[in-house]
Amino acid sequence: MSLLRLCLLMLLLLVGAAALAVSLGETPLSLAQYGQALSHPASPPGEVLWSIRAPRVAVAILVGGALGLSGATMQGLLRNPLADPGVLGVSALSGLGAAVAIASGLAAAPGAIELSALVGALLAGGMVVALAARFREPEALILFGVALSAFGGALTALVFNLSPSPVATAEIMAWLMGSVQNRDWIDAARAVVPMALGAVLCLRAGRGLRMLTLGEEAARLSGLPMTRLRVFAVAGSALLTGAAVAAAGVIGFVGLAAPHLVRALVRDDPKRLLWPSALAGALLLVLADLAARLIPTEQELKLGVVTALFGAPAFALLAWRASRSWRS
């Protein structure tokens, strides 16, 4: 399948899922109310549709797309199909930044949690970029990322331990479990700029990721500037992941699974994988958020919980099928 056809197909599925997500919810609307919402956005049905559901879906699309693109970039750079946006410790330090903002009381200021999460991600990304510019081996990045993730997790546990109140502890836990509940258009607008910058960097790295499939030594001999490739890929992934955590909290699995959903359709070409992975990630998160809203529970399930519950078995099935193809 050509890249254009694949992207158009994924975009069509995403538009259908977004329309379904906007249409369904706890507050049922009749056809007449939908017409009223479309013609009079300030009416009560219009408030439900345009001020509650639509921005929530928009944030889910942005976050899912960012995680999918970041995951595809990391898998291409590290040449590891199990890599995801959290492999370099960006998610851990981003979550730590949000936890510190909540525990310290800075959360009272508008946008403070989001800014703290983004600062944590940029801090992690800066450290990894500095390491990527110095060391050639992808294993060094992976090991440093594991250490950074463990350190960030330990500091987050320390923040839990020193949390001044049960309310702050509950808020930190809710943030770390991920959600797009109660998001508005301002939240979506805040995420656009860092995500756009990160996407540009990741897409600029696409040609280098394709050359890297020949092997690092062969790619270097072909004129590939490895240091610039690593800086672009890591910085872009850090911006995308940090903006995603800032907008919706820590959400796992999407960045790992989205590239695998479309990998076979692009014949394992890392450059052609980038755009379809972003669309697949957006589709996954919109559907997961719709499931979180519609599953009948007393409290709405957190988005990170839903992605793990439904995504992990599906990914295990994909891995099992892949292992069968390896043996044949």
Side-chain angles (χ1 to χ4, degrees):
M1 181 181 294
S2 69
L3 180 60
L4 179 59
R5 288 183 179 179
L6 177 58
C7 289
L8 288 177
L9 175 61
M10 296 301 301
L11 184 60
L12 183 62
L13 291 174
L14 177 59
V15 170
L20 185 65
V22 171
S23 302
L24 300 178
E26 293 182 2
T27 304
L29 298 177
S30 64
L31 289 177
Q33 288 175 316
Y34 280 118
Q36 185 181 4
L38 293 174
S39 59
H40 299 88
S43 63
E47 288 291 325
V48 172
L49 199 65
W50 299 112
S51 298
I52 299 177
R53 294 181 186 173
R56 177 173 183 161
V57 173
V59 172
I61 290 173
L62 290 171
V63 171
L67 294 176
L69 178 56
S70 177
T73 304
M74 284 295 96
Q75 290 175 14
L77 177 67
L78 301 176
R79 287 167 286 167
N80 187 336
L82 298 180
D84 74 338
V87 73
L88 299 181
V90 176
S91 296
L93 259 67
S94 186
L96 172 63
V100 170
I102 295 172
S104 63
L106 293 176
I113 298 179
E114 292 81 359
L115 180 60
S116 298
L118 188 58
V119 168
L122 293 177
L123 179 62
M127 288 188 286
V128 176
V129 164
L131 186 74
R134 181 166 183 174
F135 296 97
R136 295 182 178 181
E137 299 80 6
E139 292 81 3
L141 288 179
I142 296 175
L143 291 175
F144 182 76
V146 170
L148 198 58
S149 294
F151 184 64
L155 290 180
T156 302
L158 179 62
V159 172
F160 267 114
N161 195 31
L162 300 178
S163 180
S165 69
V167 175
T169 302
E171 289 183 6
I172 294 172
M173 178 62 72
W175 188 268
L176 294 179
M177 294 172 72
S179 177
V180 291
Q181 188 178 12
N182 299 324
R183 298 304 190 267
D184 55 25
W185 292 113
I186 295 177
D187 295 314
R190 285 174 181 157
V192 167
V193 173
M195 285 183 180
L197 292 175
V200 169
L201 291 174
C202 288
L203 293 172
R204 286 284 303 274
R207 180 175 174 272
L209 297 178
R210 174 184 286 170
M211 294 178 64
L212 202 56
T213 58
L214 303 173
E216 187 167 325
E217 192 63 30
R220 187 180 292 109
L221 291 175
S222 300
L224 177 64
M226 288 300 302
T227 299
R228 188 175 68 178
L229 171 63
R230 292 193 187 101
V231 170
F232 277 20
V234 172
S237 295
L239 279 168
L240 288 169
T241 305
V245 175
V250 180
I251 299 174
F253 179 77
V254 174
L256 174 65
H260 288 276
L261 295 179
V262 293
R263 187 182 301 277
L265 299 176
V266 298
R267 300 178 181 178
D268 289 330
D269 184 338
K271 181 179 180 181
R272 298 178 72 234
L273 184 64
L274 296 179
W275 275 115
S277 295
L279 293 171
L283 177 62
L284 278 177
L285 208 60
V286 169
L287 293 176
D289 182 55
L290 181 60
R293 284 193 283 141
L294 297 183
I295 292 175
T297 55
E298 291 186 6
Q299 292 184 350
E300 182 178 306
L301 293 177
K302 294 299 181 182
L303 191 50
V305 175
V306 175
T307 57
L309 286 176
F310 288 93
F315 183 72
L317 178 61
L318 288 173
W320 177 69
R321 288 180 176 176
S323 66
R324 291 182 63 186
S325 67
W326 295 336
R327 292 197 300 266
S328 59

